[in-house]
Amino acid sequence: MRLFVFGASGGLGAQVLDQALGSGHRVTAVARTPESIPGHARLTILPGNVLEPHGWRRVLAGHDAVLSCLGSADRRPTTVYSQGMTGIIAAMRDSGVRRLTCVTSASLSLPPTAPLSRRLLIGGVVRPLYRHVYTDMTKMEDVVTTSDLDWTIVRPPKLTDGELTRQYRTAANQHLPRPRTLSRADLAHYMLNHLDDQASRRSIIEISR
């Protein structure tokens, strides 16, 4: 496949690139720090920013899917998720690319059955601390779910730098019981290996070990 990847210089993006290239895909990667990405014969690196589509939208046509690994660890107000995704979707429509996979967080929606300790941690500590990030992630999900694309939103738990195991659980449009941490490698594996999965299209997927 020909894949177009945003957030390629981040931890998840690096895993997506490594596994995609290892599987024989051709990849175009948009990265703010392109010098951090090793070169490869099937990799085209575009220095750029998702918020500045003039630098990348002209080369989007002809790709089979877009994978968004956008992320922000900044606690200040951000629009990188919502505004960035608005630009991505507009460019996909103009270019005739329909398949989109993006990542938010399992902490956006906790089930009523979640343990009290988890609800206190997420609701009392994590969400208030990163309230701007969660607000913008929610806006991004709204932008994606109201589009006419073949989208998948993946909601992982806390991510780690653990090894690729290929062992994880998923749930479509419902909560996953007893979520645990998940390696970025396994998240990347799911994203790449379910691009052709019809059951994941226009679905919100929770994933965990």
Side-chain angles (χ1 to χ4, degrees):
M1 299 178 73
R2 292 190 65 192
L3 307 178
F4 204 95
V5 178
F6 290 93
S9 54
L12 174 59
Q15 288 291 335
V16 167
L17 291 189
D18 184 62
Q19 293 183 39
L21 294 169
S23 297
H25 301 301
R26 300 187 67 86
V27 182
T28 301
V30 178
R32 288 181 295 177
T33 55
E35 65 278 2
S36 66
I37 301 176
H40 191 283
R42 282 182 275 103
L43 173 63
T44 300
I45 304 173
L46 297 179
N49 189 320
V50 68
L51 299 177
E52 299 173 354
H54 62 271
W56 49 261
R57 67 180 300 155
R58 59 184 172 79
V59 298
L60 183 56
H63 288 79
D64 298 300
V66 171
L67 293 90
S68 173
C69 304
L70 296 175
S72 174
D74 199 329
R75 297 206 295 266
R76 294 177 297 181
T78 181
T79 60
V80 69
Y81 296 99
S82 59
Q83 186 178 334
M85 186 55 66
T86 298
I88 290 172
I89 289 175
M92 290 178 68
R93 285 171 175 158
D94 291 345
S95 304
V97 181
R98 293 200 49 80
R99 188 69 175 106
L100 169 67
T101 296
C102 61
V103 177
T104 57
S105 170
S107 298
L108 284 180
S109 176
L110 294 179
T113 56
L116 177 61
S117 58
R118 178 169 171 77
R119 283 187 278 131
L120 290 175
L121 175 63
I122 300 300
V125 179
V126 177
R127 281 181 183 166
L129 192 61
Y130 293 97
R131 62 187 182 280
H132 298 303
V133 170
Y134 281 101
T135 295
D136 202 43
M137 276 187 183
T138 300
K139 291 179 181 178
M140 186 185 84
E141 287 200 350
D142 290 339
V143 169
V144 173
T145 57
T146 55
S147 76
D148 58 354
L149 299 177
D150 296 326
W151 53 265
T152 300
I153 295 173
V154 187
R155 288 180 173 176
K158 181 179 179 181
L159 295 175
T160 73
D161 292 324
E163 296 181 353
L164 173 64
T165 69
R166 300 179 180 84
Q167 297 178 3
Y168 43 77
R169 300 172 294 133
T170 61
N173 301 313
Q174 59 183 313
H175 291 294
L176 195 63
R178 301 180 301 280
R180 304 172 183 173
T181 58
L182 182 74
S183 70
R184 291 176 177 85
D186 279 336
L187 176 55
H189 183 270
Y190 174 84
M191 293 173 68
L192 290 166
N193 286 273
H194 286 76
L195 288 172
D196 289 331
D197 179 12
Q198 293 295 324
S200 72
R201 299 198 177 195
R202 302 189 68 80
S203 295
I204 297 177
I205 305 295
E206 289 201 2
I207 182 171
S208 177
R209 284 191 296 126

mmCIF file of all heavy atoms in Angstrom, residues 64-107:
data_model
loop_
_atom_site.group_PDB
_atom_site.id
_atom_site.type_symbol
_atom_site.label_atom_id
_atom_site.label_comp_id
_atom_site.label_asym_id
_atom_site.label_seq_id
_atom_site.Cartn_x
_atom_site.Cartn_y
_atom_site.Cartn_z
ATOM 1 N N ASP A 64 -3.170 5.260 -0.487
ATOM 2 C CA ASP A 64 -4.281 4.369 -0.156
ATOM 3 C C ASP A 64 -4.905 4.678 1.202
ATOM 4 O O ASP A 64 -6.082 4.369 1.421
ATOM 5 C CB ASP A 64 -3.799 2.914 -0.161
ATOM 6 C CG ASP A 64 -3.293 2.489 -1.524
ATOM 7 O OD1 ASP A 64 -4.086 2.532 -2.485
ATOM 8 O OD2 ASP A 64 -2.104 2.143 -1.634
ATOM 9 N N ALA A 65 -4.133 5.243 2.105
ATOM 10 C CA ALA A 65 -4.644 5.500 3.444
ATOM 11 C C ALA A 65 -3.805 6.558 4.141
ATOM 12 O O ALA A 65 -2.619 6.724 3.819
ATOM 13 C CB ALA A 65 -4.655 4.212 4.276
ATOM 14 N N VAL A 66 -4.442 7.238 5.084
ATOM 15 C CA VAL A 66 -3.762 8.204 5.941
ATOM 16 C C VAL A 66 -3.788 7.675 7.370
ATOM 17 O O VAL A 66 -4.837 7.243 7.862
ATOM 18 C CB VAL A 66 -4.451 9.583 5.885
ATOM 19 C CG1 VAL A 66 -3.873 10.531 6.935
ATOM 20 C CG2 VAL A 66 -4.311 10.198 4.492
ATOM 21 N N LEU A 67 -2.628 7.707 8.024
ATOM 22 C CA LEU A 67 -2.538 7.324 9.430
ATOM 23 C C LEU A 67 -2.052 8.531 10.226
ATOM 24 O O LEU A 67 -0.976 9.075 9.954
ATOM 25 C CB LEU A 67 -1.570 6.151 9.627
ATOM 26 C CG LEU A 67 -1.995 4.818 9.021
ATOM 27 C CD1 LEU A 67 -1.471 4.693 7.589
ATOM 28 C CD2 LEU A 67 -1.492 3.645 9.857
ATOM 29 N N SER A 68 -2.848 8.949 11.181
ATOM 30 C CA SER A 68 -2.492 10.097 12.004
ATOM 31 C C SER A 68 -1.981 9.639 13.364
ATOM 32 O O SER A 68 -2.715 8.995 14.125
ATOM 33 C CB SER A 68 -3.698 11.020 12.206
ATOM 34 O OG SER A 68 -3.383 12.031 13.141
ATOM 35 N N CYS A 69 -0.718 9.971 13.637
ATOM 36 C CA CYS A 69 -0.104 9.680 14.934
ATOM 37 C C CYS A 69 0.138 10.982 15.685
ATOM 38 O O CYS A 69 1.081 11.101 16.462
ATOM 39 C CB CYS A 69 1.210 8.945 14.739
ATOM 40 S SG CYS A 69 1.078 7.430 13.766
ATOM 41 N N LEU A 70 -0.707 11.969 15.427
ATOM 42 C CA LEU A 70 -0.547 13.278 16.048
ATOM 43 C C LEU A 70 -0.614 13.161 17.562
ATOM 44 O O LEU A 70 -1.400 12.379 18.113
ATOM 45 C CB LEU A 70 -1.641 14.232 15.567
ATOM 46 C CG LEU A 70 -1.637 14.571 14.078
ATOM 47 C CD1 LEU A 70 -2.859 15.434 13.740
ATOM 48 C CD2 LEU A 70 -0.353 15.299 13.698
ATOM 49 N N GLY A 71 0.197 13.946 18.235
ATOM 50 C CA GLY A 71 0.198 13.940 19.686
ATOM 51 C C GLY A 71 0.752 15.227 20.238
ATOM 52 O O GLY A 71 1.449 15.973 19.549
ATOM 53 N N SER A 72 0.396 15.507 21.486
ATOM 54 C CA SER A 72 0.904 16.694 22.158
ATOM 55 C C SER A 72 1.032 16.400 23.647
ATOM 56 O O SER A 72 0.080 15.929 24.272
ATOM 57 C CB SER A 72 -0.042 17.885 21.949
ATOM 58 O OG SER A 72 0.387 18.996 22.707
ATOM 59 N N ALA A 73 2.208 16.655 24.191
ATOM 60 C CA ALA A 73 2.433 16.485 25.626
ATOM 61 C C ALA A 73 2.370 17.826 26.343
ATOM 62 O O ALA A 73 2.608 17.908 27.548
ATOM 63 C CB ALA A 73 3.781 15.825 25.873
ATOM 64 N N ASP A 74 2.046 18.874 25.591
ATOM 65 C CA ASP A 74 1.988 20.223 26.137
ATOM 66 C C ASP A 74 0.666 20.416 26.873
ATOM 67 O O ASP A 74 -0.389 20.010 26.389
ATOM 68 C CB ASP A 74 2.108 21.246 25.000
ATOM 69 C CG ASP A 74 2.522 22.614 25.506
ATOM 70 O OD1 ASP A 74 2.168 22.959 26.647
ATOM 71 O OD2 ASP A 74 3.200 23.332 24.754
ATOM 72 N N ARG A 75 0.718 21.030 28.046
ATOM 73 C CA ARG A 75 -0.503 21.248 28.813
ATOM 74 C C ARG A 75 -1.188 22.569 28.466
ATOM 75 O O ARG A 75 -2.243 22.881 29.009
ATOM 76 C CB ARG A 75 -0.192 21.192 30.315
ATOM 77 C CG ARG A 75 0.319 19.839 30.786
ATOM 78 C CD ARG A 75 0.019 19.607 32.252
ATOM 79 N NE ARG A 75 0.713 20.536 33.111
ATOM 80 C CZ ARG A 75 1.881 20.293 33.687
ATOM 81 N NH1 ARG A 75 2.493 19.144 33.448
ATOM 82 N NH2 ARG A 75 2.436 21.176 34.487
ATOM 83 N N ARG A 76 -0.606 23.317 27.541
ATOM 84 C CA ARG A 76 -1.226 24.576 27.122
ATOM 85 C C ARG A 76 -2.331 24.301 26.099
ATOM 86 O O ARG A 76 -2.406 23.218 25.534
ATOM 87 C CB ARG A 76 -0.173 25.494 26.516
ATOM 88 C CG ARG A 76 0.879 25.968 27.510
ATOM 89 C CD ARG A 76 1.947 26.813 26.827
ATOM 90 N NE ARG A 76 2.695 26.034 25.836
ATOM 91 C CZ ARG A 76 3.684 26.532 25.112
ATOM 92 N NH1 ARG A 76 4.030 27.810 25.222
ATOM 93 N NH2 ARG A 76 4.320 25.749 24.238
ATOM 94 N N PRO A 77 -3.205 25.277 25.857
ATOM 95 C CA PRO A 77 -4.248 25.095 24.832
ATOM 96 C C PRO A 77 -3.644 24.700 23.490
ATOM 97 O O PRO A 77 -2.593 25.202 23.091
ATOM 98 C CB PRO A 77 -4.908 26.474 24.762
ATOM 99 C CG PRO A 77 -4.703 27.056 26.120
ATOM 100 C CD PRO A 77 -3.345 26.577 26.557
ATOM 101 N N THR A 78 -4.300 23.789 22.800
ATOM 102 C CA THR A 78 -3.786 23.293 21.524
ATOM 103 C C THR A 78 -4.929 23.080 20.548
ATOM 104 O O THR A 78 -6.076 22.832 20.952
ATOM 105 C CB THR A 78 -3.025 21.969 21.707
ATOM 106 O OG1 THR A 78 -2.524 21.526 20.442
ATOM 107 C CG2 THR A 78 -3.921 20.896 22.285
ATOM 108 N N THR A 79 -4.616 23.175 19.266
ATOM 109 C CA THR A 79 -5.575 22.844 18.208
ATOM 110 C C THR A 79 -4.970 21.824 17.245
ATOM 111 O O THR A 79 -5.510 21.611 16.163
ATOM 112 C CB THR A 79 -5.986 24.107 17.423
ATOM 113 O OG1 THR A 79 -4.815 24.695 16.822
ATOM 114 C CG2 THR A 79 -6.666 25.122 18.330
ATOM 115 N N VAL A 80 -3.858 21.221 17.650
ATOM 116 C CA VAL A 80 -3.154 20.325 16.727
ATOM 117 C C VAL A 80 -4.024 19.132 16.332
ATOM 118 O O VAL A 80 -3.945 18.651 15.194
ATOM 119 C CB VAL A 80 -1.815 19.848 17.337
ATOM 120 C CG1 VAL A 80 -2.040 18.911 18.519
ATOM 121 C CG2 VAL A 80 -0.954 19.166 16.275
ATOM 122 N N TYR A 81 -4.871 18.664 17.248
ATOM 123 C CA TYR A 81 -5.743 17.546 16.922
ATOM 124 C C TYR A 81 -6.902 17.990 16.027
ATOM 125 O O TYR A 81 -7.076 17.470 14.923
ATOM 126 C CB TYR A 81 -6.301 16.910 18.199
ATOM 127 C CG TYR A 81 -5.269 16.296 19.097
ATOM 128 C CD1 TYR A 81 -4.787 16.984 20.211
ATOM 129 C CD2 TYR A 81 -4.778 15.018 18.856
ATOM 130 C CE1 TYR A 81 -3.835 16.421 21.043
ATOM 131 C CE2 TYR A 81 -3.830 14.437 19.692
ATOM 132 C CZ TYR A 81 -3.363 15.150 20.782
ATOM 133 O OH TYR A 81 -2.418 14.597 21.598
ATOM 134 N N SER A 82 -7.703 18.935 16.503
ATOM 135 C CA SER A 82 -8.917 19.313 15.780
ATOM 136 C C SER A 82 -8.630 20.081 14.494
ATOM 137 O O SER A 82 -9.147 19.739 13.428
ATOM 138 C CB SER A 82 -9.821 20.143 16.690
ATOM 139 O OG SER A 82 -9.158 21.317 17.138
ATOM 140 N N GLN A 83 -7.800 21.103 14.580
ATOM 141 C CA GLN A 83 -7.496 21.874 13.381
ATOM 142 C C GLN A 83 -6.666 21.055 12.403
ATOM 143 O O GLN A 83 -6.865 21.118 11.187
ATOM 144 C CB GLN A 83 -6.759 23.161 13.741
ATOM 145 C CG GLN A 83 -6.530 24.091 12.557
ATOM 146 C CD GLN A 83 -5.825 25.382 12.959
ATOM 147 O OE1 GLN A 83 -5.905 25.822 14.106
ATOM 148 N NE2 GLN A 83 -5.115 25.972 12.017
ATOM 149 N N GLY A 84 -5.716 20.288 12.958
ATOM 150 C CA GLY A 84 -4.918 19.432 12.094
ATOM 151 C C GLY A 84 -5.781 18.428 11.346
ATOM 152 O O GLY A 84 -5.628 18.233 10.139
ATOM 153 N N MET A 85 -6.731 17.804 12.045
ATOM 154 C CA MET A 85 -7.585 16.811 11.399
ATOM 155 C C MET A 85 -8.546 17.459 10.412
ATOM 156 O O MET A 85 -8.871 16.864 9.371
ATOM 157 C CB MET A 85 -8.359 16.020 12.461
ATOM 158 C CG MET A 85 -9.159 14.862 11.900
ATOM 159 S SD MET A 85 -8.163 13.688 10.901
ATOM 160 C CE MET A 85 -7.079 13.026 12.162
ATOM 161 N N THR A 86 -9.002 18.659 10.700
ATOM 162 C CA THR A 86 -9.861 19.366 9.747
ATOM 163 C C THR A 86 -9.132 19.561 8.424
ATOM 164 O O THR A 86 -9.697 19.349 7.345
ATOM 165 C CB THR A 86 -10.289 20.727 10.324
ATOM 166 O OG1 THR A 86 -11.060 20.515 11.519
ATOM 167 C CG2 THR A 86 -11.125 21.500 9.319
ATOM 168 N N GLY A 87 -7.861 19.941 8.502
ATOM 169 C CA GLY A 87 -7.060 20.100 7.294
ATOM 170 C C GLY A 87 -6.800 18.787 6.584
ATOM 171 O O GLY A 87 -6.824 18.719 5.344
ATOM 172 N N ILE A 88 -6.547 17.730 7.359
ATOM 173 C CA ILE A 88 -6.308 16.414 6.767
ATOM 174 C C ILE A 88 -7.532 15.933 5.997
ATOM 175 O O ILE A 88 -7.438 15.476 4.852
ATOM 176 C CB ILE A 88 -5.930 15.391 7.863
ATOM 177 C CG1 ILE A 88 -4.541 15.692 8.424
ATOM 178 C CG2 ILE A 88 -5.990 13.963 7.307
ATOM 179 C CD1 ILE A 88 -4.181 14.854 9.635
ATOM 180 N N ILE A 89 -8.702 16.046 6.611
ATOM 181 C CA ILE A 89 -9.920 15.565 5.976
ATOM 182 C C ILE A 89 -10.241 16.365 4.716
ATOM 183 O O ILE A 89 -10.637 15.800 3.684
ATOM 184 C CB ILE A 89 -11.090 15.599 6.976
ATOM 185 C CG1 ILE A 89 -10.887 14.502 8.033
ATOM 186 C CG2 ILE A 89 -12.435 15.425 6.264
ATOM 187 C CD1 ILE A 89 -11.908 14.511 9.143
ATOM 188 N N ALA A 90 -10.059 17.664 4.773
ATOM 189 C CA ALA A 90 -10.293 18.492 3.583
ATOM 190 C C ALA A 90 -9.364 18.081 2.449
ATOM 191 O O ALA A 90 -9.788 17.966 1.285
ATOM 192 C CB ALA A 90 -10.101 19.964 3.928
ATOM 193 N N ALA A 91 -8.100 17.831 2.769
ATOM 194 C CA ALA A 91 -7.135 17.427 1.746
ATOM 195 C C ALA A 91 -7.458 16.033 1.214
ATOM 196 O O ALA A 91 -7.300 15.766 0.010
ATOM 197 C CB ALA A 91 -5.721 17.460 2.325
ATOM 198 N N MET A 92 -7.919 15.135 2.072
ATOM 199 C CA MET A 92 -8.284 13.793 1.625
ATOM 200 C C MET A 92 -9.459 13.853 0.653
ATOM 201 O O MET A 92 -9.463 13.166 -0.377
ATOM 202 C CB MET A 92 -8.622 12.905 2.827
ATOM 203 C CG MET A 92 -7.415 12.548 3.689
ATOM 204 S SD MET A 92 -7.844 11.542 5.149
ATOM 205 C CE MET A 92 -8.356 9.992 4.376
ATOM 206 N N ARG A 93 -10.441 14.665 0.963
ATOM 207 C CA ARG A 93 -11.579 14.798 0.047
ATOM 208 C C ARG A 93 -11.134 15.321 -1.304
ATOM 209 O O ARG A 93 -11.544 14.819 -2.354
ATOM 210 C CB ARG A 93 -12.614 15.731 0.666
ATOM 211 C CG ARG A 93 -13.422 15.117 1.801
ATOM 212 C CD ARG A 93 -14.254 16.150 2.485
ATOM 213 N NE ARG A 93 -15.136 15.574 3.504
ATOM 214 C CZ ARG A 93 -15.649 16.272 4.505
ATOM 215 N NH1 ARG A 93 -15.361 17.560 4.625
ATOM 216 N NH2 ARG A 93 -16.435 15.689 5.385
ATOM 217 N N ASP A 94 -10.285 16.335 -1.302
ATOM 218 C CA ASP A 94 -9.815 16.933 -2.557
ATOM 219 C C ASP A 94 -8.963 15.949 -3.358
ATOM 220 O O ASP A 94 -8.925 16.026 -4.587
ATOM 221 C CB ASP A 94 -9.002 18.195 -2.277
ATOM 222 C CG ASP A 94 -9.856 19.340 -1.750
ATOM 223 O OD1 ASP A 94 -11.097 19.255 -1.879
ATOM 224 O OD2 ASP A 94 -9.287 20.305 -1.204
ATOM 225 N N SER A 95 -8.266 15.037 -2.642
ATOM 226 C CA SER A 95 -7.334 14.120 -3.303
ATOM 227 C C SER A 95 -7.939 12.763 -3.615
ATOM 228 O O SER A 95 -7.284 11.921 -4.232
ATOM 229 C CB SER A 95 -6.089 13.923 -2.423
ATOM 230 O OG SER A 95 -5.477 15.158 -2.133
ATOM 231 N N GLY A 96 -9.158 12.522 -3.152
ATOM 232 C CA GLY A 96 -9.803 11.241 -3.411
ATOM 233 C C GLY A 96 -9.304 10.101 -2.541
ATOM 234 O O GLY A 96 -9.494 8.931 -2.882
ATOM 235 N N VAL A 97 -8.669 10.420 -1.411
ATOM 236 C CA VAL A 97 -8.200 9.394 -0.466
ATOM 237 C C VAL A 97 -9.269 9.232 0.608
ATOM 238 O O VAL A 97 -9.678 10.220 1.235
ATOM 239 C CB VAL A 97 -6.854 9.791 0.172
ATOM 240 C CG1 VAL A 97 -6.377 8.700 1.131
ATOM 241 C CG2 VAL A 97 -5.816 10.055 -0.907
ATOM 242 N N ARG A 98 -9.709 7.993 0.873
ATOM 243 C CA ARG A 98 -10.850 7.802 1.766
ATOM 244 C C ARG A 98 -10.511 7.127 3.100
ATOM 245 O O ARG A 98 -11.216 7.310 4.078
ATOM 246 C CB ARG A 98 -11.927 6.966 1.069
ATOM 247 C CG ARG A 98 -12.579 7.681 -0.112
ATOM 248 C CD ARG A 98 -13.919 7.044 -0.450
ATOM 249 N NE ARG A 98 -14.773 6.865 0.702
ATOM 250 C CZ ARG A 98 -15.512 7.831 1.244
ATOM 251 N NH1 ARG A 98 -15.470 9.057 0.754
ATOM 252 N NH2 ARG A 98 -16.281 7.568 2.297
ATOM 253 N N ARG A 99 -9.454 6.348 3.168
ATOM 254 C CA ARG A 99 -9.188 5.564 4.384
ATOM 255 C C ARG A 99 -8.375 6.371 5.376
ATOM 256 O O ARG A 99 -7.278 6.853 5.070
ATOM 257 C CB ARG A 99 -8.450 4.276 4.019
ATOM 258 C CG ARG A 99 -8.301 3.308 5.201
ATOM 259 C CD ARG A 99 -9.641 2.731 5.584
ATOM 260 N NE ARG A 99 -9.508 1.709 6.625
ATOM 261 C CZ ARG A 99 -9.858 1.890 7.901
ATOM 262 N NH1 ARG A 99 -10.333 3.067 8.291
ATOM 263 N NH2 ARG A 99 -9.733 0.919 8.776
ATOM 264 N N LEU A 100 -8.889 6.507 6.590
ATOM 265 C CA LEU A 100 -8.240 7.300 7.644
ATOM 266 C C LEU A 100 -8.248 6.518 8.951
ATOM 267 O O LEU A 100 -9.285 6.002 9.378
ATOM 268 C CB LEU A 100 -8.990 8.622 7.839
ATOM 269 C CG LEU A 100 -8.615 9.457 9.077
ATOM 270 C CD1 LEU A 100 -7.188 9.997 8.951
ATOM 271 C CD2 LEU A 100 -9.602 10.601 9.264
ATOM 272 N N THR A 101 -7.080 6.445 9.590
ATOM 273 C CA THR A 101 -6.977 5.891 10.941
ATOM 274 C C THR A 101 -6.270 6.922 11.811
ATOM 275 O O THR A 101 -5.222 7.438 11.432
ATOM 276 C CB THR A 101 -6.187 4.573 10.953
ATOM 277 O OG1 THR A 101 -6.891 3.591 10.197
ATOM 278 C CG2 THR A 101 -6.016 4.064 12.371
ATOM 279 N N CYS A 102 -6.843 7.218 12.963
ATOM 280 C CA CYS A 102 -6.238 8.193 13.875
ATOM 281 C C CYS A 102 -6.349 7.697 15.311
ATOM 282 O O CYS A 102 -7.079 6.750 15.609
ATOM 283 C CB CYS A 102 -6.891 9.567 13.717
ATOM 284 S SG CYS A 102 -8.653 9.594 14.088
ATOM 285 N N VAL A 103 -5.627 8.362 16.200
ATOM 286 C CA VAL A 103 -5.501 7.900 17.588
ATOM 287 C C VAL A 103 -5.935 8.997 18.548
ATOM 288 O O VAL A 103 -5.552 10.166 18.392
ATOM 289 C CB VAL A 103 -4.042 7.499 17.884
ATOM 290 C CG1 VAL A 103 -3.875 7.098 19.349
ATOM 291 C CG2 VAL A 103 -3.605 6.361 16.973
ATOM 292 N N THR A 104 -6.735 8.627 19.552
ATOM 293 C CA THR A 104 -7.047 9.542 20.656
ATOM 294 C C THR A 104 -6.657 8.855 21.974
ATOM 295 O O THR A 104 -5.509 8.496 22.139
ATOM 296 C CB THR A 104 -8.524 9.977 20.642
ATOM 297 O OG1 THR A 104 -9.378 8.818 20.697
ATOM 298 C CG2 THR A 104 -8.830 10.797 19.399
ATOM 299 N N SER A 105 -7.593 8.646 22.871
ATOM 300 C CA SER A 105 -7.248 8.051 24.166
ATOM 301 C C SER A 105 -8.455 7.363 24.777
ATOM 302 O O SER A 105 -9.590 7.865 24.706
ATOM 303 C CB SER A 105 -6.758 9.139 25.132
ATOM 304 O OG SER A 105 -6.632 8.623 26.453
ATOM 305 N N ALA A 106 -8.221 6.212 25.406
ATOM 306 C CA ALA A 106 -9.282 5.504 26.114
ATOM 307 C C ALA A 106 -9.818 6.314 27.278
ATOM 308 O O ALA A 106 -10.946 6.098 27.728
ATOM 309 C CB ALA A 106 -8.766 4.153 26.600
ATOM 310 N N SER A 107 -9.042 7.265 27.756
ATOM 311 C CA SER A 107 -9.470 8.077 28.899
ATOM 312 C C SER A 107 -10.525 9.113 28.539
ATOM 313 O O SER A 107 -11.060 9.782 29.416
ATOM 314 C CB SER A 107 -8.259 8.796 29.515
ATOM 315 O OG SER A 107 -7.326 7.860 30.008
#
